[in-house]
Every structure is written in C-alpha cells, then in structure tokens.
Amino acid sequence: MIDIGFASWVLKIRKIYQKKKLRSHSDMRRKDYSTMAIACIAIFLLVFLVFQFHLSSISRINATYSTINSQDRKRLVPKSVHNMKILTPPPQQSTRAEEISCDRAHYTYDICSINGPTVLDPIASTLFLKDPTSSTLQKPRVETVRPYTRKSENFTMSRIKEVTLVAGPRSPKCNIQHKAPALVFSAGGYTGNFFHEFNDGFIPLYITVNSIFPNQDVVLVISKARDWWINKYKELLQTFSKYPIINLDNDTTTHCFPFASVGMISHGFMTIDPAFIQNSKKFTNFRAFLGKAYDQNHKVQNLPKSRPLLVLVGRSGGVGRLLLNQNEVRLEAENVGFDVTLFEPTPRNPLKEAYALINSSHAMVGIHGAALTHSLFLRPGSVFVQVVPLGAEWVAKVCFERSARAMGLEYMEYRIKAEESSLIDKYSEDDMIVKDPVAFRGKNWSHKAMTIYLKEQNVKLDMVRFREYLKEAYTKAKKLMDREG
C-alpha cells in the first residue's frame, strides 16, 4: 500500500509538469534539472519507507522470538531460584535433551550433573549415561571435573583425581543398583587440617546437598576417603547419608544411580549464604546439623554449675602462634570467675568428645589457628574470644569472625599490639612488618606474609589489658549460664 500511494503521487507531479509550456531553451534546461532532482528525491523516499517497513516487521518477529525463549527458560528453572545470583538447578529437574550439564562459572569450584540413569565405573572414575539418545551415540559428550573447592589453586587441584562424565558410548553392565542419586567429591587437597576439612569439605558438602538434593537421600561417592578420615568423621558422614560410602579409590564394582552430581558448591570462607540455597539454609542450620550428628550418640549431662566453663584452646610444637604466657592467662581467667579447661586438640582426638566438651562450655578463648574451628561446636549465645596476631586481621575475620556471628555467638576480638608479638624481637619497631602489616602484606595474602605472620610469630599477652576482655567475657558467659538455669 505504501509503494502504490507513493507512485500515484509521483505521476500527479509529472502530469502537472507536462501541462506547462516551455518558453525557452534555458527554461527547458532548468526544468530538466528540476525533474531529475524530483525523481532522485522520490526514489530516496521510496527506498527509505520500504526499509522502515521491513525493519519494523523484523523487530516484531525478534521480540516475539525473545519472549518465547524467555518463557521456555523460565519453565526449565524453578521459580524459587530465579532471583539467585548463582543458579545450580537440581539435576532431576533438567531435561534429557541436556544429558550432561556443567556450571564452570565460579572461582572456587566446578560442578557437573549427569541427568539420567547413570552407571559408575570406579576403576575408571567415570560416570556413564545408561541410556544415551541416538544423537549422543553419534556425537558423544565428555566432561571432566576435579571435585574439590580450590579451583583457582593449580598445585592443589593437580592432586585431585579427575572424574569423567560420558554421554555417548554404551555404558558398562550394572552390578549394584541404588535408589538414591550419587554425589561425587574429593576429600583430598588440604584434608588433615581441621579448618580446611570444614571450610573446603563439610560446609560445601552441606550447601551442595541442600542445593541439589533437598529433602532426599544421597549416596556419597568419595575419592581420597582414607580410613582415618572416615573414622574421625563417621558420625557426621552418617548424618549426611544413611548409605555406605563408595570409595572411589578402592571399589571395583559398577554402581547404578537414577542420576549423579560431581563436585561441591562453596559460598566462600566459612560461609553459607541463604540467598544461594533453594530452602534458605543458614549457618545456624549447619550448627544444628552438627548437633544432630553428635548429640544423638553422646548426650551431655547438664549438671548444676556455679561457675561458667571456659575452654582455653592451646597450641603446641613449632608451628607458630604459641601463647607464651598460657599459664598466666589460665590463672587470670580463673581469678575472674571461670572454671578453665585447657584444650589442645590433636588428630587423634575423638571428635564426639571434643564436641561434648565445647558444646557444654560457656566460653572459648584462643589464638587464631585451625583449632578455633572447634568454635563451630559452641552453642548460640556462648562467648568466643579470638586473639588476633599482628598481620592476621583479614584471615581472622574470614575464617572465624564471620561464622561466629552467623551462629549467634558473642564474638569478641583481641588484637595484639606490637609489644605482644615475638616479631618485635626479630624486626625493628620501624620495620613495615611490625609497624604497618596491612601495607606490608598488600592486597595479596602471599606465601611470604603467611610465613611471617602465621609461622614465625608467637604471642605474649599483656595481662593488664587482656584481663578487661576476660571480665567482659565472664559477664556474658554468666548471663548465658544463669539463663539456662
């Protein structure tokens, strides 16, 4: 309609022009020029209008296509997770069109799922899709994952066994059929360090189970599941899963699962962010989970107490951050009003006994270090005093302050001064190492900084100053004790 109307308009102009009489050759030349100009303008307008018409049509088509795609995407992801910054949809809600799905967008971890009946060959550390589609038989898909939460650390991850997920070739024969899905991860890396066993292991495991397998059973398939580690954490592992662990390093039997996930989700150092979990679990829920694991086998007798119990966490050996005047601190705490128990954990300590001691206490005091991970066993309302050496302010915050506040503890922090650090004996007061640790350390927590501040440094507390902290801790602990009756 636009083209026809425009052509009629041009013809009318020409008819009017033909009725005019030309009086001279010069006039005719000017008219010829005018005719050419009018024709050029008409052609330009015609092309422009046609272009606009087609562009408008294409825009309407694209808008419709975008809306359809958006609606399709919304149908694939549950409403409850649309506002999450990190989306890891449960594998059972994925379509078979995407038989293997991987999320590799995170700094600390990768996680992949095989979204259908799955066969595990533990000898090859490989999960096969049991009934691949014809398209994947023609063009198999293979993904590999190192299922540990230190993705950015090349040296650490090089020691983590790869797990392969395959959709394509015919799977091996199944020997053992499981009704529950599999969660595959590694207990390697920094395992052996109590802090890392929780930060890199059990907290991400809790997040993953509640993100991908909420309210359902799961079979744990673990590499580097050493006997001592299984024995140490057997109560906790049994709370995660009622099924026997499948050890990826020594099992030789094929296992079948309805689906499987490989890897663990981390929210950061000692952190659980409820915004990133579909059922909004918090750190207080994780603390309750620990109680479920250890209270069921070891009930604490709540005997009447006249004085609140303080656990003084000690360190021994040449590992740094020793409390050089530990006996003075213990005596001062007793003079303030506490009953004091010295706690020096070792790898051989049964964890249920450590839980029983700390869960029944009212306060904990200790220098920053892995042993303070036992603060996870404190009850909400208990007092936790972290002694922070020079240069350790950042690690103190991310490792223990954050989790303590998230659990509802009465968190207190005692930052030592230069004269309380043994570094003053090795470096001058004007050395940046002592004078301004933050400037010396810079933005990166380097190996050199870790060695100086965490291994070379010991602490001798100023008892006049520290006594005031003990008095405040006693007041808070006594209130908790009286409240519990």
Side-chain angles (χ1 to χ4, degrees):
M1 295 296 294
I2 292 174
D3 295 352
I4 295 171
F6 187 81
S8 300
W9 178 70
V10 173
L11 289 173
K12 287 180 181 179
I13 291 174
R14 288 180 176 176
K15 287 180 180 179
I16 293 170
Y17 174 74
Q18 289 171 356
K19 290 178 181 180
K20 294 182 180 179
K21 295 182 178 180
L22 301 178
R23 294 176 179 259
S24 65
H25 181 71
S26 59
D27 290 341
M28 184 177 294
R29 183 176 296 175
R30 284 194 297 270
K31 294 294 184 178
D32 288 341
Y33 291 153
S34 299
T35 303
M36 291 175 64
I38 291 171
C40 289
I41 293 171
I43 292 170
F44 173 80
L45 290 174
L46 177 62
V47 172
F48 177 78
L49 290 171
V50 172
F51 174 79
Q52 288 293 325
F53 176 78
H54 288 294
L55 182 63
S56 176
S57 300
I58 292 170
S59 298
R60 287 194 298 270
I61 293 170
N62 284 343
T64 304
Y65 179 77
S66 177
T67 301
I68 293 170
N69 278 354
S70 175
Q71 291 172 349
D72 287 343
R73 285 195 297 270
K74 287 181 181 179
R75 281 196 291 270
L76 291 176
V77 183
K79 278 187 177 181
S80 58
V81 298
H82 272 306
N83 296 324
M84 290 166 55
K85 295 179 182 178
I86 299 176
L87 294 179
T88 309
Q92 65 270 29
Q93 295 183 7
S94 301
T95 64
R96 285 300 300 274
E98 190 180 15
E99 294 170 323
I100 295 178
S101 56
C102 291
D103 181 357
R104 301 186 186 274
H106 309 282
Y107 183 72
T108 57
Y109 70 91
D110 290 332
I111 189 163
C112 290
S113 298
I114 189 161
N115 306 317
T118 303
V119 182
L120 168 67
D121 180 355
I123 297 175
S125 295
T126 301
L127 289 159
F128 295 87
L129 191 69
K130 190 175 181 182
D131 300 310
T133 61
S134 57
S135 61
T136 50
L137 283 172
Q138 295 173 0
K139 189 177 180 180
R141 181 175 178 184
V142 179
E143 297 284 350
T144 59
V145 186
R146 296 186 189 272
Y148 190 68
T149 57
R150 290 274 171 170
K151 175 182 173 181
S152 62
E153 300 177 15
N154 293 334
F155 175 74
T156 303
M157 296 301 287
S158 68
R159 297 179 293 165
I160 304 299
K161 179 187 288 187
E162 275 192 342
V163 177
T164 304
L165 298 85
V166 179
R170 295 297 180 186
S171 61
K173 183 181 178 181
C174 177
N175 292 324
I176 300 175
Q177 178 68 54
H178 299 270
K179 294 181 180 179
L183 174 56
V184 185
F185 66 96
S186 176
Y190 292 111
T191 297
N193 178 291
F194 192 60
F195 170 78
H196 289 288
E197 284 167 355
F198 276 85
N199 181 70
D200 304 342
F202 291 117
I203 294 173
L205 179 59
Y206 181 82
I207 292 169
T208 307
V209 167
N210 283 280
S211 297
I212 299 179
F213 307 97
N215 304 316
Q216 61 180 312
D217 295 327
V218 63
V219 178
L220 302 180
V221 180
I222 312 175
S223 66
K224 298 298 181 183
R226 302 172 180 90
D227 289 341
W228 68 263
W229 181 81
I230 293 174
N231 289 332
K232 181 175 183 178
Y233 293 108
K234 60 183 179 181
E235 293 91 353
L236 192 51
L237 291 166
Q238 289 168 359
T239 308
F240 275 110
S241 174
K242 65 183 181 181
Y243 299 106
I245 290 170
I246 296 175
N247 192 324
L248 204 56
D249 300 316
N250 58 27
D251 200 312
T252 58
T253 304
T254 56
H255 298 260
C256 287
F257 306 94
F259 55 88
S261 186
V262 183
M264 293 187 292
I265 301 169
S266 172
H267 291 167
F269 280 98
M270 298 290 279
T271 301
I272 297 175
D273 192 330
F276 295 166
I277 303 181
Q278 292 185 49
N279 50 13
S280 299
K281 295 289 186 181
K282 302 177 182 179
F283 219 101
T284 49
N285 298 110
F286 178 69
R287 173 59 183 85
F289 183 81
L290 296 177
K292 180 181 177 182
Y294 293 106
D295 281 343
Q296 61 184 353
N297 294 320
H298 194 101
K299 296 291 184 182
V300 178
Q301 292 183 352
N302 294 317
L303 299 175
K305 300 179 180 69
S306 59
R307 291 158 62 94
L309 174 63
L310 181 145
V311 174
L312 178 58
V313 181
R315 294 173 65 86
S316 59
V319 294
R321 287 162 288 148
L322 301 180
L323 182 56
L324 299 176
N325 56 343
Q326 182 173 280
N327 288 334
E328 289 182 67
V329 173
R330 180 174 185 170
L331 289 172
E332 196 62 55
E334 290 175 345
N335 291 336
V336 165
F338 283 108
D339 279 338
V340 180
T341 297
L342 180 62
F343 177 60
E344 293 186 354
T346 69
R348 297 180 180 180
N349 289 131
L351 209 54
K352 64 181 180 181
E353 293 182 8
Y355 178 89
L357 169 66
I358 295 164
N359 184 60
S360 63
S361 68
H362 303 91
M364 173 187 282
V365 174
I367 296 178
H368 172 82
L372 293 193
T373 310
H374 289 88
S375 61
L376 294 173
F377 299 162
L378 289 168
R379 290 165 295 150
S382 299
V383 184
F384 175 33
V385 183
Q386 180 176 200
V387 177
V388 182
L390 287 183
E393 297 82 7
W394 178 78
V395 291
K397 179 180 181 65
V398 299
C399 293
F400 301 117
E401 178 185 348
R402 184 182 294 170
S403 59
R405 295 192 185 282
M407 288 191 299
L409 302 182
E410 291 283 351
Y411 177 78
M412 298 173 61
E413 189 169 277
Y414 181 87
R415 296 190 177 189
I416 74 167
K417 296 182 178 180
E419 55 268 24
E420 296 173 274
S421 171
S422 65
L423 294 178
I424 201 72
D425 300 326
K426 186 173 182 179
Y427 305 93
S428 70
E429 292 183 9
D430 294 328
D431 195 306
M432 291 294 287
I433 290 174
V434 174
K435 185 179 180 180
D436 194 347
V438 175
F440 171 78
R441 195 177 65 237
K443 294 182 179 180
N444 297 319
W445 186 247
S446 66
H447 179 73
K448 181 179 180 181
M450 288 178 64
T451 300
I452 292 171
Y453 293 118
L454 299 184
K455 294 184 179 180
E456 293 182 7
Q457 180 175 201
N458 293 318
V459 173
K460 185 176 182 180
L461 296 180
D462 177 346
M463 293 311 302
V464 174
R465 191 162 77 98
F466 192 64
R467 177 182 172 83
E468 297 305 312
Y469 283 76
L470 288 174
K471 288 167 66 176
E472 183 181 351
Y474 172 80
T475 300
K476 293 179 178 181
K478 187 69 164 59
K479 287 181 179 178
L480 174 64
M481 187 183 74
D482 292 343
R483 192 163 59 244
E484 292 176 338

